[in-house]
Amino acid sequence: MNILLLGSGGREHALAWKLSRSSTLEALFIAPGNAGTRSLGKNLSVDPNDFDAVEKAVRDNEINMVVVGPEAPLVNGIVDYFEQDEYLKTIPIIGPNKAAAQLEGSKDFAKDFMKRHNIPTAKYRSFTKPTLKEGLKFLEQMQPPYVLKADGLAGGKGVLILDDLKAAKAELNNMLVEDKFGNASKTVVIEEFLEGIEMSVFVLTDGDGYKVFPDAKDYKRIGEGDKGLNTGGMGAVSPVPFAKSGFSDKVLNQVIIPTIKGLKKDGMTYKGFIFFGLINVNGDPYVIEYNCRLGDPETEVVLPRLRSDLIDLFEGVATQTLSERDVEFDPRTAATVMMVSGGYPEKYEKGKTIYGLNGVSNSIVFHAGTAADGPAVTTAGGRVIAVTSLGKDVAAALETTYESIENIEFEGAYYRKDIGKDLM
Ligand code: AMP
Ligand code: GLY
């Protein structure tokens, strides 16, 4: 089987790592990939959002399956692009079509979907420029903090949480009238603030059957103690120790099953991963968000715990026989810590040589933002390297990861030293 994997981050390196361990893999191509994926397959200089270029790569390399890592190509309709072509439609593509990817692509769509299917989520209303006045009134009736969400994709920056009513009103105006997030904030969801601990659950589905993957918690803020600016994710742990069986049963029965049934009922065939961003409010799960893909850095802890063959599961998705496949997970804990460029998530420099990657033997090193410079590896993004370890518990996994990180060096490197501390 020849596989083309789209994307270039830590999630894609972890996917490439797992796919390359499958006995049915013949050749792996990654578009565009990073310095880490080049040792697992062939990196192609193809933009995942340029569907014509993806098509050419599929034809030129006799690809038998396409795996989509990031959300943008899905929300932009890459699956529909494949379905419209006589040749491409014979090649399975792992990821939802444009309609189903709206679960991530439009917060308003997702909220409406949850309301329709009785899936627990924060109370909300949506507003547009013509209904700005009503939105401002609605804010007055809400209790602080105020949660404002740009409807569309905004690179993880589209959610504002404000304590002050005046500031919330000003931001609603900025989003709807001043196009703060461009088209993404043409509609704004205002919702009730939920208090609780967040975690994520990942499910692979063929539109009918599904497999629940391990849950994970990520650490979004740049600073220790969860302070400072939001990032793409500074580390992750799986499983989440507080997600005991009672809570997991509620997640399954109140969230996962109604979502999969709801998609089917609404006439959407969802093939791929669903990322459930959850919050545990006094023991009850609420959906904070859906994503139409795996999380990053959650993938770097979820896939190392998958014992089953990932290509076999993807074939189950493609042929709608996922229910017949077995899935098995490592009971140990996986933890990952992200090394980032100095200055991230604000301005940072690229092109710094990374030293010591080969000195790591007890952890798995996943490249997130790296580039190959001849034989050298250099930094090419804000999040640079994710170092994952397995252990008998959170403390053991993290101890190994932090020991491994000691070997790795680049100018300006920063990482949080408190990943997972809240779970010990
Ligand atoms: P989202 O992009 O929807 O995941 O929102 C980003 C982050 O904002 C989440 O991970 C939460 O930390 C926070 N958040 C979003 N919605 C709520 C809410 N209704 N109550 C509390 N926190 C929220
Ligand atoms: N780690 C959060 C995300 O992938 O969206």
Side-chain angles (χ1 to χ4, degrees):
M1 160 107 44
N2 295 339
I3 294 193
L4 174 63
L5 169 63
L6 303 183
S8 63
R11 167 182 49 216
E12 286 74 25
H13 189 186
L15 279 162
W17 171 84
K18 186 63 194 169
L19 290 168
S20 68
R21 299 168 106 75
S22 171
S23 58
T24 53
L25 183 75
E26 275 167 53
L28 179 62
F29 299 84
I30 311 98
N34 60 36
T37 60
R38 90 189 142 152
S39 59
L40 299 168
K42 187 166 192 285
N43 286 349
L44 304 175
S45 147
V46 167
D47 173 359
N49 288 303
D50 180 347
F51 299 164
D52 293 341
V54 172
E55 171 171 5
K56 187 167 182 317
V58 166
R59 290 177 184 269
D60 289 353
N61 298 293
E62 296 174 14
I63 296 298
N64 308 111
M65 178 184 281
V66 178
V67 179
V68 186
E71 64 278 13
L74 296 166
V75 172
N76 294 338
I78 193 166
V79 173
D80 310 66
Y81 181 95
F82 271 59
E83 279 166 0
Q84 280 158 23
D85 182 271
E86 281 307 312
Y87 175 68
L88 292 179
K89 77 177 178 199
T90 64
I91 295 156
I93 175 161
I94 305 302
N97 63 15
K98 190 171 182 165
Q102 292 274 98
L103 277 188
E104 174 164 5
S106 165
K107 303 251 185 221
D108 182 48
F109 174 91
K111 295 296 287 192
D112 193 48
F113 174 86
M114 288 186 266
K115 200 160 96 182
R116 188 160 63 245
H117 298 292
N118 278 315
I119 296 162
T121 189
K123 291 198 188 69
Y124 81 105
R125 272 184 66 188
S126 299
F127 300 93
T128 54
K129 196 165 155 185
T131 57
L132 171 66
K133 265 202 184 130
E134 291 147 55
L136 296 171
K137 265 215 193 96
F138 183 66
L139 279 173
E140 284 171 11
Q141 296 155 17
M142 303 280 286
Q143 297 296 316
Y146 305 94
V147 182
L148 272 58
K149 299 185 170 186
D151 174 55
L153 294 184
K157 295 192 171 70
V159 175
L160 302 176
I161 299 180
L162 302 151
D163 290 320
D164 179 60
L165 179 61
K166 231 173 116 187
K169 285 181 163 181
E171 286 295 0
L172 182 64
N173 190 70
N174 281 341
M175 289 165 94
L176 291 178
V177 181
E178 310 292 333
D179 295 337
K180 177 170 178 138
F181 298 106
N183 265 336
S185 63
K186 278 210 168 348
T187 298
V188 173
V189 171
I190 301 178
E191 68 178 36
E192 167 197 27
F193 181 83
L194 298 175
E195 187 89 59
I197 309 174
E198 285 179 61
M199 59 176 284
S200 308
V201 175
F202 303 89
V203 170
L204 181 64
T205 178
D206 61 11
D208 201 6
Y210 63 89
K211 300 289 179 193
V212 181
F213 274 51
D215 49 54
K217 177 178 190 321
D218 84 338
Y219 293 79
K220 289 201 170 95
R221 302 294 194 94
I222 187 73
E224 284 167 19
D226 287 325
K227 301 229 159 56
L229 293 173
N230 255 325
T231 70
M234 297 295 291
V237 172
S238 173
V240 186
F242 71 72
K244 297 278 176 273
S245 58
F247 183 73
S248 301
D249 290 346
K250 286 184 189 171
V251 171
L252 182 65
N253 293 312
Q254 296 171 17
V255 176
I256 296 174
I257 294 174
T259 298
I260 289 170
K261 283 196 174 152
L263 285 163
K264 205 174 158 186
K265 210 165 152 188
D266 290 351
M268 286 180 273
T269 306
Y270 194 112
K271 290 187 169 197
F273 285 104
I274 310 177
F275 169 140
F276 298 84
L278 303 174
I279 189 161
N280 178 339
V281 183
N282 301 320
D284 287 317
Y286 286 77
V287 178
I288 289 275
E289 64 167 343
Y290 287 112
N291 293 314
C292 61
R293 49 161 175 95
L294 285 171
D296 194 350
E298 293 93 331
T299 307
E300 291 95 302
V301 289
V302 168
L303 290 186
R305 296 188 56 217
L306 174 64
R307 283 190 171 146
S308 317
D309 185 314
L310 187 55
I311 295 184
D312 179 59
L313 293 173
F314 285 165
E315 282 185 311
V317 171
T319 56
Q320 289 200 296
T321 55
L322 187 60
S323 301
E324 296 161 22
R325 320 261 163 164
D326 288 324
V327 67
E328 211 189 305
F329 296 100
D330 191 323
R332 287 177 299 168
T333 293
T336 198
V337 174
M338 193 65 83
M339 300 181 76
V340 306
S341 297
Y344 173 79
E346 296 182 280
K347 232 179 95 189
Y348 58 86
E349 289 175 20
K350 297 181 188 175
K352 309 289 181 195
T353 302
I354 307 171
Y355 301 98
L357 293 169
N358 296 329
V360 176
S361 47
N362 297 325
S363 304
I364 317 167
V365 174
F366 292 122
H367 292 223
T370 66
D373 184 4
V377 176
T378 59
T379 66
R383 295 191 294 168
V384 177
I385 295 279
V387 181
T388 299
S389 312
L390 288 156
K392 68 176 188 335
D393 54 21
V394 180
L398 280 162
E399 193 183 330
T400 309
T401 281
Y402 282 119
E403 274 168 21
S404 297
I405 282 184
E406 292 290 308
N407 293 280
I408 306 171
E409 250 178 56
F410 56 90
E411 192 188 315
Y414 166 80
Y415 59 91
R416 276 180 60 170
K417 299 186 178 63
D418 67 340
I419 300 301
K421 281 238 169 85
D422 57 323
L423 302 176
M424 292 180 199

